[in-house]
Amino acid sequence: MVKTGTLPAKDVRSAILTEATRLFKENGVDGISMRQIADAIGYSATTIYLHFTDKNHLMYAVCEAGFAEFGESLGAAASSTSDPLEQLRAVGRAYVEFGLTHPLHYDVMFIRPRAWAIGRLVDEIEGADRPEPESFVALITLVAVAMKSGALRSSDPREAAAILWSGMHGVVSLSISLGDQIDAFEPDEVRRRAATITEAILTELG
Amino acid sequence: MVKTGTLPAKDVRSAILTEATRLFKENGVDGISMRQIADAIGYSATTIYLHFTDKNHLMYAVCEAGFAEFGESLGAAASSTSDPLEQLRAVGRAYVEFGLTHPLHYDVMFIRPRAWAIGRLVDEIEGADRPEPESFVALITLVAVAMKSGALRSSDPREAAAILWSGMHGVVSLSISLGDQIDAFEPDEVRRRAATITEAILTELG
DNA sequence: TCACTCTACTTAACAGTGTTAAGTAGATCA
DNA sequence: TGATCTACTTAACACTGTTAAGTAGAGTGA
């Protein structure tokens, strides 16, 4: 028997996306099942496969806007000033802020990175050389500029970028992973801590 | 029908542990199934439940030695010198070294912390206030000593400890989570990077 | 109007997961 | 001999992602 007007058929895809997004926000990627989504919109689980090739593709679609926001937010931070060191500070702040406001996106990107999250969809990259995440490349470039301008003394932008990234990631990921088990990771503490580490690193490399 | 001499019955528990440990080293916690372990030792899956109350308890038993090694290694590092700053450096190196040599243990402890890994077994702590991980408490103490000795100027040992931890965790966890996707996280690079961040932080807080 | 095809959906099933309930073969003991 | 206890088994439950096959209904051409 075919669906009797529960939904205008054309909107099924977006109904799936809406519900999957809601469940993602509540429980994260691993807290969602295809049947759960299907039940919530009044369709069978297999219907989802008529609109998304598999769960990975669906989750990518759910997270896509968040991923874009990540890139845009870091880009805006880099553009917010022309002072190389200030750019690095602003990008660091934006990175941390994204992690604090989008912990579930941060998780799929950097804590337990899924293939579909870190380098486009699996089937789009299979066979191809795994490209470095754009944002890491962008950070390297930013650091290189800071070095050429004399604001940083070290001469290995890739290494300096990795150090800055590690510092921010440490603060954010510890807060996301252990925040509800140890009360030393409140958002404001995380921001302050990240700023301290950023200054420490910039001083050390400067 | 009862088992016919495949194993001296008394050794079943240790056979489970041996095989579970082997599979853990190969695939990590989530790459093991109870049936897989059972098949490997020639028993049915339910037999495992005669020796371990559930998968969590089994995994805890598998990881127990590694957890102990973590504590001992950090303790030894702290005892290796009496100079407060040197102690912090040594503990940092030991922490990073543990992560590099026991990535799967590090994962269950700090990257996607499981209840059974971070604060004893679930049923041992239920109801009780979740205690802070011993090693974090130990680090705070170490930092407090450094402050009293005047080696560090800042006056918040808890915050300073969190910063040091964040720094080390960032380097280690990024290496474990993304090491095989980005080739900027070779072990020696990780060690060097951790040392750089440690110096940066100690200088900033000094 | 009849038959065909195409679309959008369905149910049933597969292979896997952790876990529990119930059954059984063999040894031990009164 | 008969009862009990131990150590194991098979069958099952409720889940997971995913695929194969079936079906109701609309649209189309003769």
Side-chain angles (χ1 to χ4, degrees):
Chain A
M1 172 187 32
V2 150
K3 265 284 128 55
T4 61
T6 31
L7 275 175
K10 208 35 186 310
D11 296 339
V12 173
R13 190 195 143 96
S14 71
I16 293 169
L17 270 177
T18 303
E19 197 55 33
T21 301
R22 198 182 63 75
L23 289 167
F24 170 75
K25 281 179 188 156
E26 280 176 15
N27 310 318
V29 180
D30 296 336
I32 308 181
S33 81
M34 301 298 264
R35 285 172 179 84
Q36 217 175 110
I37 298 167
D39 286 354
I41 62 174
Y43 283 81
S44 72
T46 51
T47 291
I48 300 176
Y49 291 87
L50 302 174
H51 299 275
F52 300 90
T53 71
D54 58 22
K55 194 185 178 185
N56 286 346
H57 284 74
L58 171 55
M59 294 325 295
Y60 179 80
V62 165
C63 292
E64 203 168 10
F67 296 161
E69 193 183 326
F70 175 76
E72 287 158 17
S73 173
L74 265 61
S79 307
S80 67
T81 171
S82 59
D83 176 56
L85 286 191
E86 264 315 309
Q87 285 182 330
L88 291 176
R89 290 189 185 97
V91 168
R93 279 193 301 269
Y95 183 93
V96 170
E97 207 57 37
F98 180 85
L100 289 174
T101 54
H102 301 76
L104 297 173
H105 286 85
Y106 193 91
D107 180 62
V108 302
M109 287 193 275
F110 301 123
I111 295 184
R112 2 182 190 181
R114 324 295 157 101
W116 51 267
I118 72 158
R120 308 290 173 231
L121 284 182
V122 180
D123 53 11
E124 291 178 18
I125 57 164
E126 73 182 18
D129 309 316
R130 62 231 156 88
E132 228 138 43
E134 303 172 34
S135 46
F136 183 45
V137 175
L139 180 59
I140 294 175
T141 308
L142 230 49
V143 170
V145 170
M147 286 176 177
K148 273 183 191 139
S149 81
L152 290 181
R153 126 182 86 64
S154 143
S155 62
D156 185 348
R158 185 187 182 74
E159 173 64 13
I163 291 178
L164 282 165
W165 185 13
S166 297
M168 297 303 97
H169 174 70
V171 182
V172 174
S173 65
L174 217 45
S175 139
I176 293 175
S177 296
L178 291 168
D180 42 355
Q181 326 245 8
I182 303 181
D183 34 49
F185 295 95
E186 297 304 311
D188 275 338
E189 288 181 295
V190 169
R191 280 184 265 262
R192 189 159 26 84
R193 208 165 283 159
T196 304
I197 291 190
T198 303
E199 291 315 310
I201 293 174
L202 291 181
T203 304
E204 182 78 14
L205 300 179
Chain B
M1 174 185 32
V2 149
K3 264 286 131 53
T4 61
T6 32
L7 274 176
K10 207 36 187 311
D11 295 341
V12 172
R13 191 194 142 96
S14 71
I16 293 169
L17 270 177
T18 303
E19 198 55 35
T21 302
R22 198 181 63 74
L23 288 168
F24 170 75
K25 282 180 187 156
E26 279 175 16
N27 311 317
V29 181
D30 296 335
I32 306 183
S33 84
M34 302 298 263
R35 285 172 178 85
Q36 216 174 112
I37 298 167
D39 287 354
I41 62 173
Y43 283 81
S44 73
T46 51
T47 291
I48 300 176
Y49 291 87
L50 303 174
H51 300 275
F52 299 91
T53 71
D54 59 21
K55 192 185 178 183
N56 287 346
H57 284 73
L58 171 55
M59 294 324 296
Y60 179 79
V62 165
C63 292
E64 205 168 9
F67 296 162
E69 192 184 325
F70 176 76
E72 289 158 16
S73 173
L74 265 62
S79 307
S80 67
T81 172
S82 60
D83 176 55
L85 286 191
E86 264 315 307
Q87 284 182 331
L88 291 176
R89 291 189 184 98
V91 168
R93 278 193 301 269
Y95 183 94
V96 170
E97 207 58 36
F98 180 85
L100 289 174
T101 53
H102 302 76
L104 297 174
H105 286 85
Y106 193 91
D107 180 61
V108 302
M109 288 192 275
F110 301 122
I111 296 184
R112 1 180 192 183
R114 325 295 158 99
W116 51 267
I118 73 159
R120 311 286 173 232
L121 285 182
V122 179
D123 53 12
E124 292 178 19
I125 57 164
E126 72 181 19
D129 308 316
R130 62 232 156 87
E132 228 139 42
E134 304 171 33
S135 47
F136 184 45
V137 176
L139 180 61
I140 295 174
T141 308
L142 229 50
V143 169
V145 170
M147 286 175 177
K148 273 181 192 142
S149 82
L152 290 183
R153 124 181 88 65
S154 143
S155 62
D156 185 349
R158 185 187 182 73
E159 174 64 13
I163 291 178
L164 281 165
W165 185 14
S166 296
M168 297 302 98
H169 174 71
V171 182
V172 174
S173 66
L174 218 45
S175 138
I176 294 176
S177 296
L178 291 168
D180 42 355
Q181 325 245 11
I182 304 181
D183 32 51
F185 294 96
E186 296 304 313
D188 276 337
E189 288 181 296
V190 169
R191 281 185 263 262
R192 187 158 28 85
R193 209 166 280 158
T196 303
I197 291 191
T198 303
E199 290 316 308
I201 292 174
L202 291 181
T203 304
E204 183 79 13
L205 300 179

